[in-house]
Amino acid sequence: MAELLRSLQDSQLVARFQRRCGLFPAREDSPGENGPSERATRVPEAAHLPANPQLVMYIGQVAKDILKWPRPSSPPVVKLEKRVVTEYGMPSTHAMAATAISFTLLISTTERYQYPFALGLTMAVVFSTLVCLSRLYTGMHTVLDVLGGVLITAVLITLTYPAWTLIDSLDSASPLFPVCVIVVPFFLCYNYPVSDYYSPTRADTTTIVAAGAGVTLGFWINHFFQLVSKPTPSLPVIQSIPPLTTDMLVLGVTKFMVGIVLIVLVRQLVQNLSLQVLFSWFRVVTRNKEARRRLEIEVPYKFVTYTSVGICATTFVPMLHRFLGLL
């Protein structure tokens, strides 16, 4: 077993996969280089997937800084992403996010919409597999990192599934719920494991957790203040997914663009305001990039900014849609 795990963690395995995909290092790359040269064959950086299950992403991010397993060595691996090269590798949070998103969506919709389960399962497997393979192609993870991320997510989904209904009902059960939604995530982010050197892991974790907290708080605001119509006592019987028409497509794109513009404006406004307040409070020179990395500045401004983004997306964007007659 130990030999199998070592082989799955071997950088040569990742390098061979890259070569089979047609990705080779530039000839002038030196043996001691940590990443691809400017002339190395490159593809655009993989987009960071949104991670709706906060628990999955937080556990994955924290596990990286606790285990401190290195990413694949370069050479022989060609690394196509430079921003996260300072982070540790195990587990792959992209693999965790893809598995969590695809399979929670599958589980949540099978009893509500009528579609072939085999088709939904195939799409979930294909989506998560493509994301996992992309982490190998970009040289960011070993095979063991990816498999570890998938297995951890599978365990978490299995353990939390019986409580999904209870969790959904808590968002409108008590006026004290928002306090827990804000205090607990902020405490977890502020007490994130200390790394030997700076990496964007803590900032990314705060962004993910804060956005999730904002979304949860936004739903609570909607229900508690009755900003949305109350759902019917029982969900409708299994219904077919409505066909996509031109009118639906235009309406969807319009609602998306309106929502994105409002979210970007809120993000920029809250970020600038929170940084100004924190810089003034801690007497830091404005626009000092190094100061942004300090714990007492990075975590609060990230948390406030992306909590606001989550609230905006779930509360103010639907209100704007309703005001514009888009609902």
Side-chain angles (χ1 to χ4, degrees):
M1 177 62 70
E3 184 63 29
L4 174 62
L5 294 178
R6 280 194 294 269
S7 65
L8 293 176
Q9 200 177 12
D10 189 2
S11 298
Q12 289 289 348
L13 189 60
V14 179
R16 288 198 294 270
F17 176 77
Q18 288 184 320
R19 305 301 179 266
R20 287 185 175 275
C21 293
L23 181 63
F24 296 89
R27 294 181 180 179
E28 60 268 29
D29 281 356
S30 59
E33 194 170 358
N34 290 326
S37 70
E38 293 300 320
R39 293 183 59 188
T41 305
R42 300 192 62 181
V43 294
E45 291 188 0
H48 288 263
L49 294 170
N52 45 355
Q54 296 168 257
L55 177 64
V56 170
M57 292 303 297
Y58 185 82
I59 290 177
Q61 293 287 81
V62 169
K64 287 183 178 182
D65 284 334
I66 293 178
L67 296 175
K68 297 184 178 181
W69 287 13
R71 291 184 182 270
S73 57
S74 176
V77 172
V78 178
K79 294 187 177 181
L80 300 182
E81 295 183 22
K82 295 182 179 180
R83 177 182 175 273
V84 295
V85 74
T86 57
E87 293 183 7
Y88 295 106
M90 177 67 175
S92 168
T93 47
H94 278 74
M96 295 181 70
T99 305
I101 292 171
S102 56
F103 283 93
T104 52
L105 181 63
L106 173 66
I107 295 171
S108 301
T109 57
T110 50
E111 296 181 358
R112 181 72 186 276
Y113 296 101
Q114 185 177 12
Y115 62 87
F117 177 78
L119 175 62
L121 179 62
T122 300
M123 293 179 65
V125 171
V126 169
F127 174 73
S128 55
T129 300
L130 288 176
V131 173
C132 292
L133 292 178
S134 75
R135 304 315 290 160
L136 300 179
Y137 180 80
T138 54
M140 291 291 100
H141 290 285
T142 64
V143 176
L144 187 60
D145 296 342
V146 171
L147 293 178
V150 172
L151 290 176
I152 291 173
T153 304
V155 171
L156 289 174
I157 291 177
T158 303
L159 293 177
T160 59
Y161 175 70
W164 284 8
T165 303
L166 174 62
I167 294 173
D168 285 341
S169 65
L170 287 176
D171 62 357
S172 58
S174 169
L176 297 179
F177 183 71
V179 178
C180 298
V181 170
I182 297 299
V183 172
V184 174
F186 183 80
F187 176 82
L188 292 175
C189 293
Y190 204 84
N191 291 275
Y192 191 85
V194 179
S195 180
D196 299 332
Y197 53 86
Y198 180 82
S199 76
T201 312
R202 184 180 65 198
D204 291 344
T205 303
T206 304
T207 299
I208 294 167
V209 173
V215 168
T216 305
L217 184 57
F219 284 132
W220 178 88
I221 292 173
N222 291 340
H223 288 290
F224 193 80
F225 294 100
Q226 299 182 0
L227 299 181
V228 295
S229 58
K230 293 184 178 180
T232 55
S234 60
L235 293 175
V237 183
I238 296 178
Q239 56 187 17
S240 300
I241 299 176
L244 181 63
T245 62
T246 303
D247 291 341
M248 290 179 60
L249 181 61
V250 172
L251 179 62
V253 171
T254 304
K255 292 169 65 176
F256 175 79
M257 295 304 300
V258 169
I260 285 295
V261 170
L262 181 59
I263 288 173
V264 170
L265 291 176
V266 168
R267 174 189 175 275
Q268 197 63 35
L269 175 64
V270 176
Q271 177 176 280
N272 292 340
L273 182 60
S274 59
L275 281 174
Q276 289 294 334
V277 171
L278 289 168
F279 283 162
S280 176
W281 180 268
F282 292 105
R283 298 180 181 179
V284 176
V285 178
T286 307
R287 296 186 179 181
N288 186 338
K289 292 184 178 180
E290 290 299 321
R292 286 193 182 193
R293 296 180 174 182
R294 289 168 51 177
L295 172 65
E296 63 271 21
I297 293 179
E298 182 177 62
V299 172
Y301 105 78
K302 286 279 187 181
F303 195 88
V304 171
T305 299
Y306 288 96
T307 298
S308 302
V309 167
I311 295 173
C312 176
T314 51
T315 299
F316 295 110
V317 168
M319 290 174 65
L320 180 59
H321 286 165
R322 187 177 296 107
F323 177 77
L324 296 177
L326 296 176
L327 289 182

